[in-house]
Amino acid sequence: MVGEMSAPPLSPGGGGAVGLDVIRGRRSRSGCQSEMLDSLLASGGGLVLLRDSVEWEGRGLLKALIKKSALCGEQVHVLGCEVSEEEFREGFDSCVNSRLIYHDLFRDPLNWSKTGETSPGGPLGVLRAMCRRKDPGPATIALDSLSWLLLHLPCTTLCQILHALSHQNSYPGDSSPVKQVHVLGLLHEEIHGPGLLGALSNLAQTEVTLGGAMGQASAHLLFRKPQQHPTYQTSWFSILPDFSLDLQEGPPLGPQHHSDLHTSLVDPMTHLTFNLHLSKEEKEAKDSLILPFQFSSEKQQVLLCPGPGQATSRIFYEPDAYDDLDQEDPDDDLDI
Amino acid sequence: MFPELNSLLNTTPAGVEQGKMTLLCDAKTDGSFLVHHFLSFYLKANCKVCFVALVQSFSHYNIVGQKLGVSLTMARERGQLIFLEGLKSSVDVFFQAQEEPHPLQFLREASAGNLEPLYQFVREALRPVDDGEATWKCPVLLVDDLSVLLSLGLGAVAVLDFIHYCRATVCQELKGNVVALVHDSGDAEDEENNILLYGLSHQSHLILRAEGLATGFCKDVHGQLRILWRRPSKPTARQDQSLTYQYKIQDRSVSFFAKGMSPAVL
């Protein structure tokens, strides 16, 4: 079952299914572990983009979301391109594993083994088959990873398929109810350029960018709801060995926090043994001083026109025997 | 092998982890000492090693290996080491008629090739042979290096596919290990190299990154080694699995020390 039924429903009118009220009630408790997962798997379906990096992996969060969906009764299709089925299923209990269908694109995606086990059409064929899925009921499709698919399929094709997957509405003329499909895509953002990332970002209803600081993982969430402003949220979390989520307060603020508390405005010149202050007259004299190598117009005049002070300096010159006394001034041809 | 590096990585030849992919990366320095370390480490650990050596000759690795206590000639003779000498055998692609595709067949192809023949070579080399002789511990694939494949005209996706298949066969099926060296040119405009480097990083369990010092060349500290552990089998509470050490390469060993604690400085 989804969770305990003891929490009171938030809305007194009691509209909606009982299960939804339980989820709302759980959301009201602070630090609730499933709050973040609930917001990511919100009703309406759509593409959830999990952007991870080398240092902060996203597969753990992807598996946590898969576990949540499976425990809610949804069927989960995993397109596994990067890890083996055995490794992916590790850590899930039998309840989750029974709802998980693994489409293996890890072992032989390009048919190099020539054993005939590869599905015809390759990765594209598998994706298209998923689009044509006719099973009723909500489902979750996990793509591990979108980066692998982007490297092997043209971006436009993949974007079209993603759009088709996340909007698996009823066909015209079909009276069956709208199928709610969550598409979870794991994307390694360092591999791709900004153009590709932007294109996928525009397709996504929700974006989760994983990061962290000081050993604590964080998720920066961006929700795009139609006709509403995008909303942002940052959560600090850790994933437990059974792939449930544990929300944290955030990393300890560390040394910079302590320095803010203890530093006060101290004048560094109070305890010196020498005087660094300038009196008003000293300041004025300092400001009006002409620097020796600053060539101002006054200085130019002083140099060019010998003033009364120049007569005091003399040059005493004793020519040697072999000196060539040329009275011609070599600078005569300069036009100053 | 370098005992200090073993203790940093918490491994010994006696207890080798299986099914892991290790990525060696160097930026602004030469990271080939890591290749020599892992080659001698796995030979001493009694593993069957397939070494795809595209950069140096066999005698080069043999000479360095002898300094580290392993003889590649003897390992090759007893079947423990399968050595693909890229420099020598690349010539065979052009001058010898081959019935089956040569591992480096892509050199001959005009259009963008793939590394399927090389993968088949690795698969055949590390296939468990059931002939009653001494069995080796686990198969290991060592590649030196992958960036040279980009220079030879392959695309980054082709190299990533090759490593993908090697992981599927060597790590997953045969429960062995893969170790590969790739260079980080540091050039943000080199898209192919970035795709290769980050694509491999995401596939790896362990990343060893040798970097030159930011302040330039130094006689006593040759560089900095960053160690990053990834993809634990069960998620751990703390994801901070990264260590940084500085190192100095000597004739027969490499000494590691914490940043700023070089013996020359203390």
Side-chain angles (χ1 to χ4, degrees):
Chain A
M1 207 30 228
V2 176
E4 63 267 38
M5 308 285 277
S6 54
L10 265 187
S11 55
V18 178
L20 204 55
D21 284 337
V22 169
I23 291 173
R24 284 205 201 109
R26 277 166 51 186
R27 233 184 239 149
S28 68
R29 293 207 305 268
S30 61
C32 165
Q33 64 149 317
S34 64
E35 183 185 301
M36 189 172 113
L37 297 178
D38 284 335
S39 55
L40 288 172
L41 294 172
S43 63
L47 174 63
V48 178
L49 207 59
L50 296 176
R51 297 165 65 138
D52 74 349
S53 57
V54 174
E55 265 193 73
W56 301 100
E57 293 180 69
R59 193 163 288 114
L61 183 60
L62 178 70
K63 284 171 88 163
L65 286 167
I66 286 173
K67 176 178 166 168
K68 186 85 206 317
S69 295
L71 291 178
C72 287
E74 292 184 15
Q75 188 144 79
V76 182
H77 293 261
V78 179
L79 193 68
C81 316
E82 293 195 342
V83 297
S84 66
E85 182 170 357
E86 193 186 315
E87 190 179 332
F88 198 87
R89 286 185 186 271
E90 204 178 320
F92 285 144
D93 54 23
S94 55
C95 170
V96 176
N97 269 323
S98 60
R99 295 227 171 92
L100 208 151
I101 301 169
Y102 196 84
H103 302 262
D104 195 339
L105 279 179
F106 172 73
R107 217 149 29 123
D108 193 4
L110 307 172
N111 202 19
W112 282 4
S113 301
K114 311 264 189 293
T115 50
E117 280 176 14
T118 318
S119 47
L124 195 55
V126 176
L127 279 171
R128 290 217 163 108
M130 275 190 192
C131 288
R132 292 189 298 265
R133 189 186 62 94
K134 289 265 191 274
D135 313 330
T140 297
I141 298 175
L143 303 172
D144 178 14
S145 64
L146 268 177
S147 289
W148 192 95
L149 292 168
L150 273 172
L151 289 175
H152 291 84
L153 298 172
C155 179
T156 45
T157 315
L158 186 62
C159 286
Q160 285 164 359
I161 290 178
L162 282 176
H163 185 82
L165 271 178
S166 44
H167 292 84
Q168 273 184 348
N169 297 317
S170 52
Y171 299 96
D174 191 350
S175 59
S176 58
V178 171
K179 286 182 285 203
Q180 177 182 300
V181 180
H182 293 108
V183 180
L184 309 172
L186 181 62
L187 188 67
H188 308 309
E189 46 179 15
E190 299 122 323
I191 302 181
H192 309 285
L196 275 179
L197 292 176
L200 286 173
S201 189
N202 283 330
L203 276 177
Q205 266 70 50
T206 314
E207 256 180 79
V208 184
T209 305
L210 288 152
M214 284 185 277
Q216 188 70 55
S218 72
H220 185 76
L221 297 109
L222 166 63
F223 298 97
R224 280 200 194 89
K225 299 195 179 76
Q227 285 146 19
Q228 281 180 37
H229 282 297
T231 48
Y232 300 87
Q233 184 189 324
T234 301
S235 304
W236 297 87
F237 67 97
S238 65
I239 298 183
L240 304 171
D242 66 346
F243 291 106
S244 46
L245 210 68
D246 187 24
L247 283 182
Q248 311 274 324
E249 286 299 314
L253 286 168
Q256 70 246 52
H257 180 67
H258 295 309
S259 63
D260 285 340
L261 282 179
H262 296 294
T263 51
S264 46
L265 287 168
V266 171
D267 186 8
M269 296 202 267
T270 42
H271 300 296
L272 293 173
T273 54
F274 46 88
N275 178 29
L276 279 180
H277 296 282
L278 289 173
S279 69
K280 194 156 166 278
E281 296 82 15
E282 286 170 336
K283 258 198 203 135
E284 278 172 6
K286 180 186 163 195
D287 288 333
S288 60
L289 179 68
I290 302 174
L291 295 172
F293 299 109
Q294 204 167 351
F295 201 69
S296 60
S297 55
E298 294 95 354
K299 194 137 186 160
Q300 191 179 23
Q301 290 307 313
V302 160
L303 285 171
L304 287 176
C305 313
Q310 301 296 315
T312 55
S313 60
R314 268 197 213 151
I315 297 172
F316 296 96
Y317 177 56
E318 293 284 338
D320 288 331
Y322 51 80
D323 262 340
D324 180 21
L325 276 176
D326 189 356
Q327 296 301 333
E328 209 178 83
D329 183 2
D331 290 331
D332 259 344
D333 55 357
L334 287 177
D335 181 19
I336 299 177
Chain B
M1 65 177 188
F2 308 124
E4 284 191 39
L5 185 54
N6 280 343
S7 56
L8 288 183
L9 297 176
N10 214 13
T11 57
T12 57
V16 169
E17 274 192 323
Q18 294 185 275
K20 300 289 176 198
M21 158 122 187
T22 303
L23 183 69
L24 312 174
C25 170
D26 61 17
K28 288 193 196 148
T29 189
D30 183 14
S32 55
F33 71 97
L34 294 168
V35 174
H36 296 299
H37 163 82
F38 279 101
L39 177 61
S40 54
F41 174 82
Y42 282 117
L43 285 176
K44 281 194 182 161
N46 216 25
C47 295
K48 188 168 184 187
V49 178
C50 174
F51 189 6
V52 176
L54 302 170
V55 182
Q56 302 278 9
S57 63
F58 177 81
S59 51
H60 171 90
Y61 294 106
N62 197 19
I63 291 169
V64 181
Q66 277 169 2
K67 287 189 189 174
L68 299 180
V70 288
S71 166
L72 298 194
T73 327
M74 285 185 53
R76 191 162 61 170
E77 273 164 23
R78 61 175 181 251
Q80 189 188 6
L81 174 67
I82 293 112
F83 195 95
L84 175 67
E85 191 169 350
L87 292 172
K88 212 161 79 164
S89 68
S90 56
V91 185
D92 294 340
V93 178
F94 298 97
F95 294 123
Q96 284 189 23
Q98 305 275 332
E99 301 87 25
E100 356 169 293
H102 189 278
L104 302 178
Q105 188 64 32
F106 67 90
L107 290 170
R108 226 192 146 130
E109 283 159 23
S111 59
N114 68 18
L115 285 166
E116 188 184 340
L118 187 60
Y119 160 70
Q120 300 292 358
F121 168 83
V122 169
R123 190 198 174 91
E124 188 57 36
L126 291 176
R127 192 170 52 90
V129 176
D130 211 13
D131 54 0
E133 283 181 12
T135 47
W136 310 108
K137 224 187 255 182
C138 63
V140 174
L141 168 66
L142 183 59
V143 186
D144 180 19
D145 61 54
L146 290 171
S147 298
V148 83
L149 293 170
L150 289 184
S151 314
L152 289 170
L154 284 167
V157 181
V159 183
L160 284 174
D161 285 340
F162 165 68
I163 291 291
H164 175 114
Y165 267 88
C166 288
R167 266 198 318 132
T169 305
V170 178
C171 292
Q172 177 60 30
E173 196 184 314
L174 302 174
K175 305 280 181 273
N177 295 331
V178 173
V179 182
L181 174 67
V182 74
H183 298 302
D184 183 4
S185 58
D187 184 7
E189 294 187 1
D190 190 350
E191 282 180 26
E192 289 281 293
N193 202 36
N194 283 338
I195 292 175
L196 179 63
L197 178 65
Y198 289 117
L200 288 172
S201 301
H202 277 281
Q203 294 185 32
S204 312
H205 293 94
L206 173 64
I207 302 177
L208 296 178
R209 190 182 160 90
E211 298 166 341
L213 294 177
T215 44
F217 175 75
C218 171
K219 202 170 54 130
D220 297 301
V221 179
H222 291 153
Q224 188 164 284
L225 185 72
R226 278 189 57 212
I227 308 172
L228 179 66
W229 281 275
R230 297 182 76 249
R231 289 178 61 183
S233 45
K234 286 253 169 84
T236 49
R238 272 183 71 85
Q239 258 193 281
D240 194 346
Q241 299 281 318
S242 164
L243 292 173
T244 307
Y245 291 94
Q246 291 181 337
Y247 62 86
K248 178 178 178 178
I249 301 178
Q250 285 138 1
D251 185 42
R252 282 169 193 268
S253 67
V254 177
S255 57
F256 292 87
F257 34 87
K259 280 209 256 191
M261 306 291 253
S262 159
V265 172
L266 293 173

